[in-house]
Coordinates of all heavy atoms in Angstrom, one line a residue:
A1 N 2.0 -38.4 -17.4 CA 2.6 -39.6 -16.6 C 3.6 -39.1 -15.6 O 3.6 -39.6 -14.4 CB 3.2 -40.6 -17.6
V2 N 4.4 -38.1 -16.0 CA 5.4 -37.6 -15.0 C 4.7 -36.9 -13.9 O 5.1 -37.1 -12.7 CB 6.4 -36.7 -15.7 CG1 7.3 -35.9 -14.8 CG2 7.3 -37.5 -16.7
V3 N 3.7 -36.1 -14.2 CA 3.0 -35.4 -13.1 C 2.2 -36.3 -12.2 O 2.1 -36.1 -11.0 CB 2.2 -34.2 -13.8 CG1 1.2 -33.6 -12.8 CG2 3.1 -33.2 -14.3
K4 N 1.6 -37.3 -12.8 CA 0.8 -38.3 -12.1 C 1.7 -38.9 -11.0 O 1.3 -39.2 -9.9 CB 0.2 -39.3 -13.0 CG -0.7 -40.3 -12.3 CD -1.3 -41.3 -13.2 CE -2.2 -42.3 -12.4 NZ -2.8 -43.3 -13.3
K5 N 2.9 -39.2 -11.4 CA 3.9 -39.9 -10.5 C 4.5 -39.0 -9.5 O 4.8 -39.3 -8.3 CB 5.0 -40.6 -11.3 CG 5.9 -41.5 -10.5 CD 6.8 -42.2 -11.4 CE 7.8 -43.1 -10.5 NZ 8.8 -43.7 -11.3
N6 N 4.9 -37.7 -9.9 CA 5.7 -36.8 -9.1 C 5.0 -35.5 -8.7 O 5.6 -34.8 -7.9 CB 6.9 -36.4 -9.9 CG 7.8 -37.6 -10.2 OD1 8.3 -38.2 -9.3 ND2 7.9 -38.0 -11.5
G7 N 3.8 -35.2 -9.2 CA 3.1 -34.0 -8.9 C 3.7 -32.8 -9.7 O 4.5 -33.1 -10.6
G8 N 3.3 -31.6 -9.5 CA 3.8 -30.5 -10.2 C 3.2 -30.3 -11.6 O 2.1 -30.7 -11.9
T9 N 4.1 -29.8 -12.4 CA 3.7 -29.5 -13.8 C 4.9 -29.9 -14.7 O 6.1 -30.0 -14.2 CB 3.4 -28.1 -14.1 OG1 4.5 -27.2 -13.7 CG2 2.1 -27.6 -13.4
A10 N 4.7 -30.2 -16.0 CA 5.7 -30.6 -16.9 C 5.4 -30.1 -18.3 O 4.2 -30.0 -18.6 CB 5.9 -32.1 -16.9
T11 N 6.4 -29.8 -19.1 CA 6.3 -29.2 -20.4 C 7.4 -29.6 -21.3 O 8.5 -29.8 -20.9 CB 6.3 -27.7 -20.3 OG1 5.2 -27.2 -19.5 CG2 6.2 -27.0 -21.7
F12 N 7.1 -29.8 -22.6 CA 8.0 -29.8 -23.7 C 7.9 -28.5 -24.4 O 6.8 -28.2 -24.9 CB 7.8 -31.0 -24.6 CG 8.2 -32.3 -24.1 CD1 7.2 -33.2 -23.6 CD2 9.5 -32.8 -24.1 CE1 7.5 -34.4 -23.1 CE2 9.8 -34.0 -23.5 CZ 8.8 -34.9 -23.0
F13 N 8.9 -27.8 -24.6 CA 9.0 -26.6 -25.5 C 9.7 -27.0 -26.7 O 10.6 -27.8 -26.7 CB 9.8 -25.5 -24.8 CG 9.2 -24.8 -23.7 CD1 9.4 -25.2 -22.4 CD2 8.4 -23.6 -23.8 CE1 8.9 -24.6 -21.3 CE2 7.9 -23.0 -22.7 CZ 8.1 -23.5 -21.4
V14 N 9.4 -26.3 -27.9 CA 10.2 -26.5 -29.1 C 10.6 -25.1 -29.5 O 9.9 -24.1 -29.4 CB 9.4 -27.3 -30.2 CG1 8.2 -26.4 -30.7 CG2 10.3 -27.6 -31.3
K15 N 11.9 -25.0 -30.0 CA 12.4 -23.8 -30.5 C 11.8 -23.5 -31.9 O 11.9 -24.4 -32.8 CB 13.9 -23.8 -30.6 CG 14.5 -22.5 -30.9 CD 16.1 -22.6 -30.7 CE 16.8 -21.3 -31.2 NZ 16.7 -20.2 -30.6
T16 N 11.1 -22.4 -32.0 CA 10.5 -22.0 -33.3 C 10.9 -20.5 -33.5 O 10.5 -19.6 -32.8 CB 9.0 -22.1 -33.2 OG1 8.6 -23.5 -32.8 CG2 8.3 -21.8 -34.5
G17 N 11.9 -20.4 -34.4 CA 12.5 -19.0 -34.6 C 13.3 -18.7 -33.4 O 14.1 -19.5 -32.9
D18 N 13.0 -17.5 -32.8 CA 13.7 -17.1 -31.6 C 12.9 -17.4 -30.3 O 13.3 -17.1 -29.2 CB 13.9 -15.6 -31.6 CG 15.0 -15.2 -32.6 OD1 15.8 -16.1 -33.0 OD2 14.9 -14.1 -33.1
E19 N 11.7 -18.1 -30.5 CA 10.8 -18.4 -29.3 C 10.9 -19.9 -29.0 O 11.2 -20.7 -29.8 CB 9.4 -18.1 -29.7 CG 9.1 -16.6 -30.0 CD 7.7 -16.3 -30.4 OE1 7.0 -17.2 -31.0 OE2 7.2 -15.3 -30.0
Y20 N 10.5 -20.1 -27.7 CA 10.3 -21.5 -27.3 C 8.8 -21.7 -27.0 O 8.3 -21.0 -26.1 CB 11.1 -21.8 -26.0 CG 12.6 -21.9 -26.3 CD1 13.4 -20.7 -26.2 CD2 13.2 -23.1 -26.7 CE1 14.8 -20.8 -26.5 CE2 14.6 -23.1 -27.0 CZ 15.3 -22.0 -26.9 OH 16.7 -22.0 -27.2
V21 N 8.1 -22.5 -27.8 CA 6.7 -22.7 -27.7 C 6.3 -23.9 -26.9 O 6.9 -25.0 -27.2 CB 6.1 -22.8 -29.1 CG1 4.6 -22.9 -29.1 CG2 6.5 -21.5 -30.0
R22 N 5.4 -23.8 -26.0 CA 4.9 -25.0 -25.3 C 4.0 -25.8 -26.2 O 3.0 -25.4 -26.7 CB 4.0 -24.6 -24.1 CG 4.7 -24.0 -22.9 CD 3.7 -23.6 -21.8 NE 4.5 -23.0 -20.7 CZ 4.8 -21.7 -20.7 NH1 4.5 -20.8 -21.6 NH2 5.6 -21.2 -19.7
V23 N 4.5 -27.0 -26.5 CA 3.8 -27.9 -27.5 C 3.2 -29.1 -26.8 O 2.3 -29.8 -27.3 CB 4.8 -28.4 -28.6 CG1 5.2 -27.2 -29.5 CG2 5.9 -29.2 -28.1
S24 N 3.6 -29.4 -25.5 CA 3.0 -30.4 -24.7 C 3.2 -30.0 -23.3 O 4.3 -29.8 -22.8 CB 3.7 -31.8 -24.9 OG 3.2 -32.7 -24.0
T25 N 2.1 -29.8 -22.6 CA 2.2 -29.2 -21.2 C 0.9 -29.6 -20.4 O -0.1 -29.9 -20.9 CB 2.4 -27.7 -21.2 OG1 2.7 -27.2 -19.9 CG2 1.1 -27.0 -21.7
N26 N 1.1 -29.5 -19.1 CA -0.1 -29.5 -18.2 C -0.1 -28.3 -17.3 O -0.8 -28.2 -16.4 CB -0.2 -30.8 -17.4 CG 1.1 -31.2 -16.8 OD1 1.8 -30.4 -16.3 ND2 1.4 -32.5 -16.9
V27 N 0.7 -27.3 -17.7 CA 0.6 -25.9 -17.1 C -0.7 -25.4 -17.5 O -1.0 -25.3 -18.7 CB 1.8 -25.0 -17.5 CG1 1.6 -23.6 -17.0 CG2 3.1 -25.6 -17.0
P28 N -1.5 -24.9 -16.6 CA -2.8 -24.4 -17.0 C -2.7 -23.0 -17.5 O -1.8 -22.2 -17.1 CB -3.6 -24.4 -15.7 CG -2.6 -24.3 -14.6 CD -1.4 -25.0 -15.1
K29 N -3.7 -22.6 -18.4 CA -3.8 -21.3 -18.9 C -4.2 -20.4 -17.7 O -4.8 -20.9 -16.7 CB -4.9 -21.1 -19.9 CG -4.6 -21.7 -21.3 CD -5.7 -21.5 -22.2 CE -5.4 -22.1 -23.6 NZ -6.6 -22.0 -24.5
P30 N -3.8 -19.1 -17.7 CA -4.1 -18.2 -16.6 C -5.6 -18.2 -16.2 O -6.0 -18.1 -15.1 CB -3.6 -16.9 -17.0 CG -2.6 -17.1 -18.1 CD -3.0 -18.4 -18.7
D31 N -6.5 -18.3 -17.2 CA -7.9 -18.3 -17.0 C -8.5 -19.7 -16.6 O -9.7 -19.8 -16.4 CB -8.7 -17.7 -18.2 CG -8.6 -18.5 -19.4 OD1 -8.0 -19.7 -19.4 OD2 -9.1 -18.1 -20.5
G32 N -7.6 -20.7 -16.5 CA -8.1 -22.0 -16.1 C -8.8 -22.8 -17.2 O -9.4 -23.8 -17.0
S33 N -8.8 -22.3 -18.4 CA -9.6 -22.9 -19.5 C -8.9 -24.0 -20.2 O -9.3 -24.4 -21.3 CB -10.0 -21.8 -20.6 OG -8.8 -21.3 -21.2
G34 N -7.9 -24.6 -19.7 CA -7.2 -25.7 -20.3 C -5.7 -25.5 -20.2 O -5.2 -24.7 -19.4
R35 N -5.0 -26.3 -21.0 CA -3.5 -26.4 -21.0 C -3.0 -25.1 -21.8 O -3.6 -24.7 -22.8 CB -3.1 -27.6 -21.7 CG -3.5 -28.9 -21.0 CD -3.2 -30.1 -21.9 NE -3.8 -31.3 -21.3 CZ -3.1 -32.3 -20.6 NH1 -1.8 -32.1 -20.4 NH2 -3.7 -33.3 -20.2

């Protein structure tokens, strides 16, 4: 919804251990095979 209105990309990361994991995103995978 945010990207539809404003363009670009958006993500929610969650802290898991020492990492921040993308749990909701529309940033594409490098190979273009999805989120």
Side-chain angles (χ1 to χ4, degrees):
V2 168
V3 168
K4 183 177 181 183
K5 185 175 180 185
N6 298 294
T9 55
T11 297
F12 287 100
F13 289 89
V14 67
K15 187 169 174 71
T16 304
D18 292 333
E19 299 178 326
Y20 290 92
V21 181
R22 285 179 183 86
V23 295
S24 175
T25 190
N26 45 40
V27 170
K29 288 182 181 177
D31 65 5
S33 66
R35 298 172 190 258

